Amino acid sequence: MAQAAPAPGGMPRPGARPEIGARTSEGRTRPPDVFDARTHRIAHIAVPVVLGLVYGYWVAADARQGGGITGGNLLLGWVSALVFAVVCTALLTLAPRMPRELHALLWTAFTGVAFGFLYVQTPHSVWRTLLMSLLIAGCTFATFFYRYYTREDAFGRRVH
């Protein structure tokens, strides 16, 4: 069904609400804040904990390779979850204060090590694990460096 496209600056639809503008800073618009500061503080802790629990379960499931659940397997999963959550929280806290190159390298190292530890639990060789970890780390570095390079100045301040 063909309908006419609205003309720029034309009349609004009947009953349409006026658009709500975002706050401006130096003439540029930015998206409105959806969540308050309390929600961000809670998420700053909750997200790494949930990711750590998922990671710990995944490590434990890969390590047992379809066998029975043992005490050592449970210990491996809980310790992996704890280490993952603590390091992820530390990175979320400290990495934004670093220069963009170091910021990207920290996340690259974390991602490469986390993936490598997860992958070594499978029956693949150490060399394949090393190559896969380096591939994942390289892609992570390229992505994060590009992201930080295009959104931060040389001193690590975010460019809006």
Side-chain angles (χ1 to χ4, degrees):
M1 190 182 317
Q3 295 182 4
M11 294 184 56
R13 296 187 324 258
R17 299 186 318 203
E19 292 190 28
I20 299 172
R23 288 180 263 168
T24 59
S25 171
E26 300 174 6
R28 301 180 114 189
T29 61
R30 64 181 191 140
D33 290 332
V34 178
F35 300 113
D36 62 348
R38 179 178 172 264
T39 306
H40 283 282
R41 283 192 310 271
I42 292 171
H44 190 75
I45 300 297
V47 169
V49 168
V50 170
L51 289 176
L53 289 172
V54 170
Y55 182 79
Y57 173 76
W58 200 346
V59 167
D62 277 354
R64 68 184 180 95
Q65 298 176 2
I69 299 173
T70 63
N73 187 255
L74 288 174
L75 181 65
L76 175 67
W78 284 109
V79 170
S80 300
L82 178 68
V83 170
F84 186 94
V86 167
V87 173
C88 187
T89 303
L91 275 176
L92 285 173
T93 303
L94 299 176
R97 298 180 182 141
M98 304 294 173
R100 59 187 174 204
E101 296 85 5
L102 186 57
H103 192 172
L105 275 175
L106 288 172
W107 280 108
T108 298
F110 175 68
T111 306
V113 169
F115 179 82
F117 184 71
L118 185 64
Y119 200 78
V120 83
Q121 303 301 320
T122 63
H124 297 293
S125 70
V126 174
W127 291 111
R128 182 171 174 171
T129 300
L130 178 68
L131 291 176
M132 292 294 288
S133 296
L134 288 175
L135 178 69
I136 294 296
C139 292
T140 302
F141 179 75
T143 302
F144 282 166
F145 183 77
Y146 174 77
R147 181 179 187 273
Y148 299 139
Y149 192 78
T150 57
R151 289 178 173 80
E152 294 179 356
D153 64 6
F155 302 107
R157 294 183 301 252
R158 288 188 179 168
V159 177
H160 295 288

